[in-house]
Amino acid sequence: MNNSSFIDSLRNFIRYGGMTVKIIAFNAIVFLLIQIIDVYARLMQKEGAFSEFIEYIFTLNTDVSIFITQPWALFTSIFAHFTFMHFAFNMIFMYFSGKMFEQIFDQKRLLYTYIIGGLCGGMLEIIAHAVFPALQETYSVIVGASGSIMAIFLSLAFYRPNLKVMLFGIFPIRLFFLALFFLLSDLISLGLDDGTAHFAHIGGALFGILSVYKINSS
């Protein structure tokens, strides 16, 4: 396969792959952009300046005094990943959750849930750091699509709780129990200094649940 055929196939895959693929593609572009800037910075021996630039654009700081000077980070951070493993894990989770979501709902609702869920997750993380003393001593920065994906996954689980998925491709398990496991894992990990934005996950999850509440109650 020549380069033009590969590019055409990739373009068609993104064009006709639905909103899930488009969101993943945008995340991939942001990830590659960050990596290119990082490589350039290393080669030019200007890591400090470029690291500050990347953080300024893409990271959500939980310190309110810093957040109000760069509010756009509430949006840009939900598309940013700094390591390949973080990016790969989130996008695999995004692919399977997003595809199921599109089958049950639609593409516009998927994009809406991804963005608003991520924003809610970021805001809850900021609020938590402002309220809880244990977190006030450890201001941190947040990046990644986890809160957005939790919103998508939890909305699915609470709308179709009996829907079964194959865990590891082997074990059938109801979507509700899998979602409950992720949610409880975040709840019992609150306050741990493990580098994970658990409140952001919970904020996204709560939005996902509430977004389908009226549908289920009608």
Side-chain angles (χ1 to χ4, degrees):
M1 179 182 294
N2 56 43
N3 290 337
S4 60
S5 297
F6 173 77
I7 293 173
D8 289 340
S9 298
L10 182 61
R11 184 184 298 115
N12 289 333
F13 178 68
I14 294 172
R15 179 181 299 173
Y16 301 112
M19 186 56 67
T20 299
V21 173
K22 289 179 174 64
I23 291 173
I24 292 173
F26 191 77
N27 274 271
I29 291 170
V30 174
F31 175 73
L32 290 174
L33 176 62
I34 290 172
Q35 299 308 308
I36 290 170
I37 293 174
D38 188 51
V39 169
Y40 177 79
R42 289 201 305 270
L43 292 174
M44 299 300 293
Q45 295 185 328
K46 294 182 178 180
E47 291 96 332
F50 280 94
S51 292
E52 290 179 4
F53 172 75
I54 291 174
E55 289 187 5
Y56 185 70
I57 299 298
F58 294 109
T59 63
L60 175 63
N61 199 299
T62 58
D63 186 335
V64 176
S65 63
I66 297 177
F67 165 68
I68 60 177
T69 66
Q70 49 189 87
W72 60 81
L74 193 63
F75 176 79
T76 58
S77 62
I78 66 176
F79 295 98
H81 301 82
F82 288 175
T83 67
F84 178 76
M85 290 304 297
H86 189 202
F87 167 77
F89 179 80
N90 272 353
M91 292 305 102
I92 291 172
F93 198 6
M94 175 65 205
Y95 182 80
F96 289 105
S97 299
K99 282 300 181 182
M100 284 191 292
F101 191 99
E102 287 187 79
Q103 291 175 5
I104 296 173
F105 298 109
D106 56 59
Q107 295 188 41
K108 288 184 178 180
R109 189 181 181 94
L110 175 62
L111 180 60
Y112 164 83
T113 303
Y114 181 95
I115 293 175
I116 304 301
L119 297 181
C120 289
M123 284 304 304
L124 185 61
E125 190 74 36
I126 292 172
I127 293 170
H129 275 76
V131 170
F132 297 109
L135 300 180
Q136 291 172 1
E137 301 174 359
T138 58
Y139 287 114
S140 59
V141 293
I142 304 170
V143 292
S146 301
S148 298
I149 298 169
M150 282 290 284
I152 293 168
F153 191 66
L154 267 292
S155 64
L156 278 172
F158 276 76
Y159 185 68
R160 292 284 179 86
N162 294 322
L163 181 66
K164 290 186 177 181
V165 295
M166 299 301 292
L167 188 63
F168 306 117
I170 302 174
F171 309 106
I173 183 172
R174 290 183 180 179
L175 202 63
F176 178 81
F177 293 126
L178 191 58
L180 193 61
F181 169 77
F182 284 122
L183 186 57
L184 289 176
S185 295
D186 280 311
L187 284 171
I188 64 177
S189 298
L190 293 175
L192 295 179
D193 188 15
D194 58 1
T196 302
H198 295 291
F199 274 105
H201 294 180
I202 293 170
L206 289 176
F207 172 77
I209 295 169
L210 292 173
S211 71
V212 297
Y213 175 76
K214 289 186 177 180
I215 300 176
N216 281 334
S217 60
S218 61

